[in-house]
Every structure is written in C-alpha cells, then in structure tokens.
Amino acid sequence: MPINDTSKALLSHNGLNSQLLSSADSFDNKNQYNSYLSSSSYYQTSNAKITTATSKNYSSTTGYGLVNAAAAVAKAVGRNTFANVPNSGGNNWGADLVNAPEAWNNGYTGKGVVVAVIDTGVDYNHEDLKNNIWTNTKEIAGNGIDDDGNGYVDDVRGWNFVNNNNNTLDQNGHGTHVSGTIAGEKNSYGVTGIAYNAKIMPVKVLNESGSGSYNAIANGIYYAVNNGANVINLSLGGNFSNRTLQNAVEYANSKGVVVVMAAGNDGGSQPNYPARYANNTGIAVGAVDRNNNLANFSNRSGTNELAYVTAPGVDVYSTVPNNQYASYSGTSMATPHVAGVVALMLSANRSLTPTQVRQIITETAGNNTQAATASYQTDSINTSSIVKSAIALSSYQISTTNFSVDHHSVSEITSPAKLTNQTTATNSATNLQFHYYNDNIGIKSYNSTDEETPSDSPNNGNNGNLGKFLERLDQLQKQLEEYRRFLGFSNGKS
C-alpha cells in the first residue's frame, strides 16, 4: 500500500546535517549565493513590459523548456515526430507530460541501456524494480574476491562509497524514488518508469541522512563510467564548485556517458553545482508541475546559456523502500525524467554522443512554461521597505549590512532520525558535503542538535527574538511573493 505523502513530514522527525540546512531562516554572511533582501527592490512604471532573456528559444528562467521524449527519440532515429497516443493517466502523469508513451509505442523503452543512480542507494528488492537492476556479471557474489579486478570486492550490485562496501541498499528512500521514475517496471501496479526496460546501477554516495562528500560523489561517477553505465543521474548538489567533481563529470562525458544533473531547490536565478557545469558538459534539469508551470522552489536556468531543460518535479509518485510508494517534489524528481528520456534515445540509437544528446534534448524541448513577454500596470514595490518593516516590528536588533537571507531555499527530506551534530567545515575544498534535492518539508529549521527540544536562544532557528524577526520577515516575504506572481516575476507552485 502507498504510504502517506511525505510532503507532510515534519523537519523535527528527519535527520539532517546541520550545516546543510537551507531554509528561509538560514543566515550566512559569507555565502555569496544568497539574495540580499535589504538592498533589493522591484519597480515598474505604468504599462511596463518585462522581457525574459532569450537566445535561440533559451529562457533565463526555464532554459529550453519542457523535455519532449517523443520529439527527442524521433530525432535520434532520423524521424520528424511520432504519432500521438492516449495518455497513461493516473500516477504516470509525468510520463504523459514528457510524451514518453509515444516513444514506447514505437518500441523504444530503454532496453539495453544502463542508468547509474548515484544517490542514497537503491532498494533493489522492490517488486517494481528488482527485475531492472544492473548486476556485475564479471563478479562472483559472496566469494570475497575481486573477480573482475576493478578494485571492488563482490560489487555485484554496485558499490557503497559512504561505507566502502558492497551494500548499496537504500536506507533513506531518495535513491529508490529516483530509480522508479527512471525504470519502474511496466506492469499493473505502482509506477511505470520513463525507460521501463532500462537497468539501474546502484551507486551509493549519500548516507541515510542524504549527505555526502565531493570525493564520494566523484568516485561514484568514475565507478559508474568504468563499469558500463550509459547515463548517470545526479539528483544532488551544493552551492560551490569543486575541481574534483568537475573532473569526474568531464571524464564521464569524455567516455561517452551522459550526465543528467538536478538544478537545485533554492528558487535561485541559476543552478547549483554540478548542474552549472551544463554550460559545457551534461544536462541541467529544473522542475515543473503537472500544468507545466515552473515550481517556485526550482533554480532557474540563468542568463549564461546552459543545456537546461525542465521536467515534472512536483508531487511525483514513485517507489520507496519496502515495496511502498510515495509522492515527492523537487528537482531531484525532475532529473530522472530526463535521464529516462536519454535512456530512450540511446535505446533507439546507441551511436549518439553526449554532445549529440545534449543538442537533441535542447532542440526538441518545448519552452512553454513562461511567456517571453508580459505587460501589466502597477505601482512600485520596494522590498527594502518590507525588510525595514520587519526589523521595526521585531525587538531583535540586527544590521542589514552584515547578513543575507536565503529567502527562496527549502530544506531537504531525509529518513527519520535525530539531527546529528557535524563538524565538517563547509568551505573545505574536498569535504564540502553535497545533499540531494527535494522539497517536501517545511522551511522552518532549528540550529540545535536536538530538533525535539531546541534551546530558547536568539541564535537558534525560530526561537527567541531572532525567531520573531524571522517569522515576521517570512510573512512579509510571502506577501511580496504574491505581488511578484501578480506582476509576472515568478510562477507559483500549484
């Protein structure tokens, strides 16, 4: 039976790495990627007109728009298009939105393609996944010997780079959910994956709380490439670039492996890393809802042109451990839709290079999530006055010159566990931790190591005078967002 929608999960019931919390209540005067509300303003005179930056159908908001499996696969085999077929309906609305059934109807189902899910692991015993799990046929299970000489002992179902062993089972749920979207079996129950005959290679680089290091992720990429993956799904990311990770992504590209990367859930003007590497390598993915509206949590494509497309990422139904199902939201959920489309393309034409895949994906995407121009009549709106109002109504004294507010970002869902204190420096070049992207829990967060009984300190999350200030600021920010939607600055999430 399906479990309840995890979007109703409470943050206090989910174990999170404290320095990875990213919420509307997070302050960091060193993070250059945060938005500075104290100095921002929106002003338009009457009958003004806004134009979204575009280049060859490229938008600074939605990139090249919604991925189109029918058009992409058709182009991969030298055809103009495929005939429309009836929608699958129900929980497979995401496949319908990206026109996957049209590709299926022409015999392209991902057969013969291996997609590495570099994530929290995979429940490879799940009834909807077990027949589509990659196995290392060169390895003899359980003999304690590295039979194929690849440096990993008994890696029959991938490798665990968190604990350095062959146990790739998912103790979180995230990687299993991603896998179902890619290759859930086409049967009479559950969910049908975009490439339902592809194979999933489990590569575990994130722990049960959904976090991991640059090195683990990079090693996971090398492992996937060197052991036969054709596509890599990276539903994870962080705020900072890292050469080790970038080298791994470029290595995959050089070996003919297509890397598909989540844009991130900060509601920012450009993707996080590694998705920002899509200026040269791989594909970045933003999230839309079932009406093809860009999710307000999704990072935008940015003015620097990337291979950025959108895909379903709001209330996506898929597999979770122990033969269950759940609906998650996030760019983590959008990314496997595109990885699945790439698998369909490669099952249709195995000679495609990563460059050709990027070109076809972007050329066939339909940029319909936001009009290029919009006209309206309005007065000025100045967010600096809103911030001043919040400060005036709060007894907590704080200078607007020494802090920043990450007002679009959301926290990440993880498996039930206590929040544990972490000491890893967040500015470390090699140990900066990455985490997966989805948007299923409230934005409120505490900095205490015990979410159940946070201390009543002005510096602790939503408590004390700072908490009162933040709550007021959050209310005003919601009002501002309504103005922005009215003026066409952003799309809301249904």
Side-chain angles (χ1 to χ4, degrees), residues 42 51 57 84 97 118 204 211 269 292 310 315 335 380 453 478 483:
Y42 299 92
T51 301
N57 298 320
N84 291 334
L97 190 62
I118 297 181
K204 187 169 183 172
S211 62
S269 60
N292 197 23
T310 59
D315 294 331
T335 305
S380 63
T453 56
K478 289 177 181 177
Y483 282 119

Side-chain angles (χ1 to χ4, degrees), residues 202-452:
V203 182
K204 187 169 183 172
V205 299
L206 303 177
N207 62 22
E208 64 274 8
S209 296
S211 62
S213 69
Y214 281 114
N215 286 339
I217 297 165
N219 287 334
I221 293 172
Y222 285 114
Y223 177 89
V225 173
N226 294 336
N227 286 278
N230 308 112
V231 186
I232 289 175
N233 188 98
L234 292 178
S235 288
L236 47 76
N239 288 331
F240 302 97
S241 181
N242 176 265
R243 190 61 193 171
T244 299
L245 180 63
Q246 185 176 357
N247 287 342
V249 172
E250 291 173 351
Y251 175 78
N253 184 76
S254 72
K255 296 297 183 180
V257 180
V258 181
V259 183
V260 186
M261 305 165 284
N265 293 347
D266 302 317
S269 60
Q270 57 186 331
N272 286 339
Y273 294 96
R276 213 179 299 180
Y277 300 143
N279 63 331
N280 292 314
T281 306
I283 301 167
V285 186
V288 296
D289 62 19
R290 65 180 63 216
N291 296 314
N292 197 23
N293 295 314
L294 189 71
N296 58 8
F297 60 76
S298 178
N299 284 351
R300 280 56 174 164
S301 50
T303 55
N304 295 323
E305 194 166 339
L306 306 174
Y308 177 112
V309 293
T310 59
V314 179
D315 294 331
V316 174
Y317 186 81
S318 188
T319 50
V320 291
N322 302 315
N323 291 326
Q324 298 189 66
Y325 301 83
S327 293
Y328 289 0
S329 297
T331 55
S332 277
M333 285 63 253
T335 305
H337 283 85
V338 177
V341 172
V342 174
L344 293 178
M345 294 170 64
L346 293 178
S347 71
N349 184 352
R350 292 300 296 271
S351 68
L352 292 174
T353 66
T355 299
Q356 290 170 326
V357 169
R358 275 165 47 97
Q359 181 177 351
I360 292 173
I361 285 282
T362 55
E363 286 182 352
T364 57
N367 199 346
N368 299 313
T369 57
Q370 181 173 318
T373 61
S375 298
Y376 56 87
Q377 187 171 6
T378 183
D379 295 323
S380 63
I381 300 172
N382 193 312
T383 63
S384 62
S385 64
I386 292 178
V387 173
K388 291 176 182 177
S389 174
I391 294 172
L393 291 172
S394 171
S395 60
Y396 186 77
Q397 300 299 312
I398 190 165
S399 169
T400 59
T401 61
N402 62 7
F403 74 94
S404 62
V405 181
D406 186 3
H407 62 287
H408 285 298
S409 59
V410 294
S411 300
E412 319 301 332
I413 190 164
T414 63
S415 58
K418 286 282 187 180
L419 180 66
T420 56
N421 190 29
Q422 301 290 332
T423 58
T424 303
T426 58
N427 62 353
S428 168
T430 58
N431 292 321
L432 176 64
Q433 295 202 348
F434 269 37
H435 53 113
Y436 58 70
Y437 290 132
N438 67 359
D439 174 33
N440 287 312
I441 53 182
I443 61 174
K444 303 282 184 174
S445 67
Y446 296 108
N447 295 325
S448 167
T449 58
D450 188 346
E451 292 279 318
E452 301 290 342

